Amino acid sequence: MSAAPAEMTRAEDEAAATGGAPRSGIRFDGVTVAYGSNVVLDSLDLTVEPGEVMALLGPSGSGKTTALRAVAGFVRPAAGRVLLGDRDVTELPPHRRGIGMVVQSYALFPHMRVDENVAFGLRAQKVPRSAIPARVAEALEMTGMAAYARRYPRELSGGQQQRVAIARALAIRPRVLLLDEPLSALDARLRSDMLAELARLHRELPDVSILYVTHDQVEALTLADRIAVMDQARLRDCGTPQELYRRPRTEFTASFVGQANLLPVTVHDDGVEFAGKALRTPTGDAAPGADATLCIRPHLVGLGDGPNALHGTVAEIQWRGATHRLYVDVDGHRLKADLRELKQPPAIGDTVALHFAAEDAVLLGSGVGSHD
């Protein structure tokens, strides 16, 4: 689905007069959305830079889709402003915002051929009829669907239909592209292929700002320049995928952006204590005696004795092709370890040692300094 302006906005008029193009980018300025007393988006402050892919990542009900719909104009904020580039669009209807949008259900017109579906937004935008075929061909070529222009949606696979939906959104040449869980209806292989296609499109469209809503951490880590982590209607964290994965700031971020072992610890001068065992870890400016949480990613945990060794009982083993996932009970806490495929994995009930390097652990919690 695409929302296209019926007439030029004031910003576009000014851009035409100066020979420039309207700026892209999205800014949420204290945006709150509520239905009666139920606040579904609470005071969101967030900026998507021109040309940036920002993923809104969070569980169902976290507010991420509401934020996207506020940008599209489908919901009206109870407070705050939405800006596209330098324009305050809070009061503008969807068709005046010049936004391309793709949803998970494709929303193609079944009675129209592929080229007719792609042309729909251009006709709504009142693009001159003579210019439409070239714009349609350009969008279909960009999404690898040029050979399917004369087919109907029912003659396409799910991945091909989603490409057509993306082509329709791109045909209007939007400065902002909204993607609302666009891959959730696809199987794992198609999802992987489409992620690669979206990454390629981003490289080919460096001026288009993309807001990508997903609950899938792999999609966010793969595609986004930055990730905004949402929970319970609020923004909880924001940073690059590498920052949020390697140095999460909160337990929620650590558990939602990738998987994590989260161990309750007490801070000491040169490390922490877990289950009565001293572990050497960075402590930053955490106060000795403070309670905190130690975050260790499963792929950074090794099998066998080594630095920071913890002993426990194997509770479960999962073979995952190239890796084994071990679940080990250590003093009432279940630790996960992702190991290269083991020729002779331990058996359930065996006692094993797990270890990790001090620099691979991240300390979270009260009394712990920010990682900014």
Side-chain angles (χ1 to χ4, degrees):
M1 176 172 56
S2 54
E7 57 186 282
M8 292 185 71
T9 64
R10 179 174 58 81
E12 289 167 329
D13 283 330
E14 291 171 354
T18 59
R23 293 188 66 229
S24 63
I26 305 166
R27 182 155 66 92
F28 296 88
D29 182 11
V31 174
T32 295
V33 176
Y35 301 111
S37 60
N38 182 28
V39 176
V40 294
L41 187 63
D42 191 359
S43 303
L44 177 60
D45 288 306
L46 182 68
T47 298
V48 183
E49 299 295 344
E52 182 179 36
V53 178
M54 175 74 78
L56 296 183
L57 179 67
S60 297
S62 61
K64 57 188 188 297
T65 295
T66 300
L68 180 139
R69 289 172 61 82
V71 176
F74 298 146
V75 297
R76 185 173 181 178
R81 301 183 302 156
V82 176
L83 294 94
L84 299 182
D86 298 322
R87 288 188 296 151
D88 184 343
V89 299
T90 311
E91 302 298 328
L92 284 181
H95 70 272
R96 292 284 308 280
R97 300 192 181 198
I99 288 172
M101 186 169 177
V102 180
V103 297
Q104 58 181 298
S105 60
Y106 317 139
L108 300 178
F109 297 110
H111 62 287
M112 292 183 181
R113 297 188 307 267
V114 165
D115 55 356
E116 293 170 328
N117 266 283
V118 175
F120 181 82
L122 295 171
R123 294 194 178 97
Q125 202 177 25
K126 302 190 186 307
V127 170
R129 182 175 299 180
S130 61
I132 289 177
R135 295 272 289 270
V136 169
E138 176 187 50
L140 289 176
E141 184 68 31
M142 192 176 295
T143 54
M145 291 300 293
Y148 300 86
R150 307 296 289 176
R151 295 194 186 185
Y152 287 92
R154 64 179 177 272
E155 300 174 304
L156 305 176
S157 69
Q160 289 168 338
Q161 290 184 52
Q162 194 60 293
R163 290 186 189 201
V164 174
I166 293 170
R168 182 175 57 187
L170 294 177
I172 66 168
R173 296 175 180 170
R175 307 296 294 174
V176 169
L177 180 61
L178 307 179
L179 302 175
D180 187 9
E181 304 209 28
L183 309 184
S184 62
L186 304 179
D187 62 36
R189 181 175 178 179
L190 280 176
R191 190 180 302 121
S192 178
D193 290 345
M194 283 302 301
L195 270 176
E197 287 298 317
L198 288 171
R200 178 185 61 81
L201 281 172
H202 178 221
R203 292 192 297 271
E204 294 183 4
L205 300 167
D207 297 327
V208 176
S209 300
I210 300 176
L211 190 62
Y212 190 104
V213 166
T214 183
H215 64 272
D216 188 302
Q217 56 187 276
V218 173
E219 293 179 18
L221 290 170
T222 301
L223 191 62
D225 296 310
R226 286 191 298 152
I227 299 172
V229 182
M230 307 283 295
D231 184 43
Q232 296 181 343
R234 296 186 66 88
L235 176 65
R236 300 298 181 184
D237 212 340
C238 186
T240 68
Q242 293 82 3
E243 288 170 345
L244 298 186
Y245 187 82
R246 295 172 181 164
R247 297 294 174 201
R249 297 176 177 85
T250 66
E251 289 188 34
F252 182 81
T253 299
S255 60
F256 207 83
V257 181
Q259 298 193 20
N261 293 301
L262 299 174
L263 308 180
V265 297
T266 302
V267 178
H268 293 299
D269 289 329
D270 57 353
V272 299
E273 181 181 314
F274 167 69
K277 180 176 177 59
L279 302 173
R280 296 298 296 270
T281 67
T283 59
D285 56 2
D291 292 330
T293 298
L294 195 68
C295 169
I296 312 159
R297 298 295 185 184
H299 74 280
L300 297 174
V301 177
L303 181 64
D305 280 312
N308 291 326
L310 296 169
H311 295 81
T313 303
V314 177
E316 186 179 348
I317 304 173
Q318 296 176 353
W319 178 67
R320 300 186 172 188
T323 63
H324 276 95
R325 161 68 66 86
L326 264 61
Y327 293 87
V328 178
D329 285 338
V330 178
D331 198 53
H333 299 274
R334 182 160 292 191
L335 273 65
K336 302 182 285 286
D338 288 337
L339 309 164
R340 291 185 61 182
E341 186 179 13
L342 302 171
K343 292 183 178 180
Q344 293 183 318
I348 292 176
D350 283 356
T351 298
V352 298
L354 300 176
H355 67 271
F356 63 92
E359 62 269 20
D360 290 334
V362 179
L363 201 61
L364 313 171
S366 60
V368 179
S370 168
H371 297 290
D372 287 340

